[in-house]
Amino acid sequence: MSNSQMFTHINGELGLIVLESCKELGEKINEHIKARRKVEGNFLLPAREIRFSNGEGKVKLTESVRGKDIYILCDIGNYSCTYSMFGIENHKGPDEHFQDIKRTVSAIRGKARRITVIMPLLYESRQHRRKGRESLDCALALQELERLGVQEILTFDAHDPNVQNAIPLLSFENLYPTYDILKTIITEEKNIEIHKDNMLVISPDTGAMDRAIYYSSVLGVDVGLFYKRRDHSTIVNGKNPIVKHEYMGRDVENQDVLIVDDMIASGESVLDIAKELKSRKAGNVYIATTFAFFTEGLKKFQEYYDNGIITRVYSTNLTYISPELEKAEWFKRVDMSEFIARIINRLNKDQSIAKFMDATYVIQELLENKVSK
């Protein structure tokens, strides 16, 4: 009898298929579930992602999945995964990771009781709507998973949750790491004072305003907004360059500020905003984001930290964090493995996860505990 066969539930045995892109996070999730259920053994089901020398690939499962409740974990943003093609080392991009998800579902061959795909970073989430003659990648991808027999999709902080309208009959859960981010900030920043008289939450653009308003409301502080003035006559790296960031909000002098966004790509925007805030004599500048890509490296962030412009950057481990970033003194990782383990544990037992969709109450408890200390 295999390890996974030891854990039988009326709702189907739990099986975790963790693709190589999500190995570290998946192993932590497995350990948390084992601890919650007080069991020995392993919920992980082995899966081999095979690449042929010409770049073609396949996924092979080496253990039965019949009747199991399968959860497939994949980080489509993990650029550290490599394979050899014609003797050249290639790094996997989002397209290749998504193809491996489809290969895994195909290898299951309809034998599982239920298939849930956990994509913390939603595939093609920034291409969620059409503007003129262009592709609609995210919607097409979600519909493809539905056709393959996936019953549920879990993701975090989707760029636009409305994309779920492309699959109206499929369960689509968009989760947020707000509580875990704030808990980590409060734990790490011993001297931080969260009060309306000495702190603001800043939205880096109009698109992130809803997120900033939520942070400000649960923290009980004011909110400010930067508006990106772009040059729409020019396109650089697929987007219109920013001419200037215009600020709307109350005075930031001597105020600590928390800039919140869903992702950091190059980081140009948040660094420009941090510089603008410092020119207005702001205190500590903290940056909190769900996904940190740092597509143009870490050098500029280190420079801004050394010059006292930014104090700390907080981001989750929902996408790949390089060893170099992990070591940076200005960066703190927010571990989401326990949160995901709780979600999987409840879903496997057909229990509601509604209380995990709104973190307001637990955040208020967190803040009360900080005050009492």
Side-chain angles (χ1 to χ4, degrees), residues 38-101:
K38 297 182 173 62
V39 295
E40 300 291 333
N42 205 345
F43 291 103
L44 296 171
L45 298 174
R48 293 177 58 205
E49 294 163 70
I50 299 164
R51 279 291 188 283
F52 299 105
S53 57
N54 69 339
E56 293 179 323
K58 67 178 180 180
V59 167
K60 185 175 183 179
L61 304 180
T62 57
E63 192 171 312
S64 173
V65 296
R66 188 179 294 275
K68 290 185 171 68
D69 195 358
I70 299 296
Y71 295 82
I72 302 169
L73 281 83
C74 181
D75 173 16
I76 62 100
N78 189 340
Y79 59 89
S80 73
C81 299
T82 62
Y83 64 93
S84 178
M85 184 172 73
F86 293 98
I88 302 169
E89 184 182 49
N90 282 277
H91 290 258
K92 285 186 181 180
D95 290 346
E96 290 157 302
H97 286 303
F98 185 69
Q99 192 70 20
D100 282 340
I101 294 175

Side-chain angles (χ1 to χ4, degrees), residues 99-112:
Q99 192 70 20
D100 282 340
I101 294 175
K102 294 191 293 181
R103 290 183 175 119
T104 306
V105 178
S106 173
I108 291 171
R109 297 168 57 198
K111 300 297 192 296

Side-chain angles (χ1 to χ4, degrees), residues 151-168:
Q151 282 95 353
E152 187 160 27
I153 297 170
L154 300 182
T155 192
F156 281 81
D157 210 344
H159 200 64
D160 183 354
N162 289 321
V163 75
Q164 66 185 289
N165 293 332
I167 45 169

Side-chain angles (χ1 to χ4, degrees), residues 95-277:
D95 290 346
E96 290 157 302
H97 286 303
F98 185 69
Q99 192 70 20
D100 282 340
I101 294 175
K102 294 191 293 181
R103 290 183 175 119
T104 306
V105 178
S106 173
I108 291 171
R109 297 168 57 198
K111 300 297 192 296
R113 172 186 174 271
R114 179 171 60 184
I115 301 174
T116 299
V117 169
I118 302 177
M119 257 189 299
L121 174 59
L122 185 62
Y123 174 69
E124 290 289 354
S125 59
R126 285 191 284 185
Q127 191 52 31
H128 60 282
R129 62 181 176 181
R130 269 202 185 113
K131 292 182 180 177
R133 296 185 185 94
E134 59 185 27
S135 55
L136 195 55
D137 300 62
C138 190
L140 288 173
L142 295 177
Q143 290 174 351
E144 194 167 9
L145 290 179
E146 182 178 31
R147 287 194 297 270
L148 286 170
V150 173
Q151 282 95 353
E152 187 160 27
I153 297 170
L154 300 182
T155 192
F156 281 81
D157 210 344
H159 200 64
D160 183 354
N162 289 321
V163 75
Q164 66 185 289
N165 293 332
I167 45 169
L169 300 181
L170 199 67
S171 177
F172 180 98
E173 301 294 351
N174 183 39
L175 305 164
Y176 291 91
T178 314
Y179 170 75
D180 294 273
I181 288 175
L182 289 176
K183 182 180 178 182
T184 307
I185 291 174
I186 289 171
T187 302
E188 295 290 338
E189 308 296 335
K190 305 296 184 184
N191 298 321
I192 193 170
E193 291 185 32
I194 301 174
H195 191 275
K196 64 180 180 179
D197 293 332
N198 50 28
M199 189 175 189
L200 286 98
V201 172
I202 299 291
S203 174
D205 53 41
T206 54
M209 197 59 187
D210 286 346
R211 180 182 296 99
I213 289 171
Y214 179 74
Y215 269 89
S216 67
S217 64
V218 295
L219 294 176
V221 300
D222 286 335
V223 64
L225 165 69
F226 274 90
Y227 170 73
K228 294 177 182 176
R229 190 146 54 84
R230 294 182 180 272
D231 178 4
H232 290 278
S233 65
T234 309
I235 296 177
V236 179
N237 294 328
K239 57 187 178 181
N240 303 113
I242 299 167
V243 177
K244 189 178 180 183
H245 287 94
E246 305 282 1
Y247 176 66
M248 291 183 284
R250 73 172 173 84
D251 188 12
V252 299
E253 186 173 354
N254 298 323
Q255 303 283 299
D256 287 345
V257 294
L258 175 64
I259 304 172
V260 295
D261 207 353
D262 60 337
M263 62 178 67
I264 293 175
S266 66
E268 178 186 352
S269 290
V270 292
L271 291 179
D272 285 350
I273 288 168
K275 191 173 182 180
E276 179 67 27
L277 289 167

